[in-house]
Amino acid sequence: MTWMTLTKVGRMASHTGVPALKDLQKAVGGYVEVFDLDHGVSMWCNEEAKINSTLLGGTETRMELENVKATHLITNHGPGLFPNDYIGGDVAFTGQPDDNGETTGLTAEGIEMVRLA
C-alpha cells in the first residue's frame, strides 16, 4: 500500500504500509480532518493549521501557512473551498476507505493526480 505526504513548501514523499491515525496526525502536525477527492483519494489535513494565522492573533501569514498544491487539489478535484479559503500546513494522501471503513492505499491514478498538483 502506498500513501503520500506533501509539505506546505511543496516537498512530496511516498510511504509504504498502512498509516495508523497517529501516523497521519504526525504527518499533518496535529488533529486531522479528511476530504475525499477525485480518483479515490482522501486528503488528510491538520484541522487547526490556521490557528497560528495572523488573522487569528498568531504569528504566521497566509503565505507561510498555505499549502498551494493542496489548495489546488481540493479546489479542482474535491469539494472545493469557500472563496479566499485555503488549506494550511502539511497534508497526507491515502485511498478512500473500503466498505469496512479501513484506510486503503493510493491507486496509480490517484498517485498521478497528487504528483501533478
Side-chain angles (χ1 to χ4, degrees):
M1 175 180 150
T2 298
W3 63 288
M4 299 175 75
T5 52
L6 173 64
T7 67
K8 64 184 176 183
V9 296
R11 279 178 276 174
M12 196 169 289
S14 292
H15 309 273
T16 57
V18 179
L21 176 60
K22 67 179 181 171
D23 300 319
L24 295 166
Q25 288 174 326
K26 183 178 179 184
V28 305
Y31 295 115
V32 295
E33 65 179 317
V34 63
F35 299 96
D36 289 336
L37 308 180
D38 294 337
H39 306 296
V41 174
S42 288
M43 181 171 70
W44 301 79
C45 308
N46 181 332
E47 71 177 13
E48 297 178 334
K50 292 182 259 184
I51 293 289
N52 291 324
S53 165
T54 54
L55 293 174
L56 298 174
T59 59
E60 294 184 77
T61 66
R62 176 180 176 149
M63 286 183 62
E64 294 169 318
L65 286 171
E66 183 175 6
N67 187 320
V68 175
K69 290 182 177 185
T71 300
H72 171 80
L73 279 168
I74 198 167
T75 301
N76 294 295
H77 299 284
L81 296 170
F82 289 110
N84 298 314
D85 198 5
Y86 62 96
I87 299 295
D90 301 338
V91 298
F93 300 96
T94 65
Q96 292 178 4
D98 64 18
D99 291 339
N100 296 318
E102 299 295 323
T103 301
T104 63
L106 290 165
T107 64
E109 195 173 46
I111 291 169
E112 186 71 11
M113 182 187 78
V114 171
R115 285 197 173 138
L116 292 176

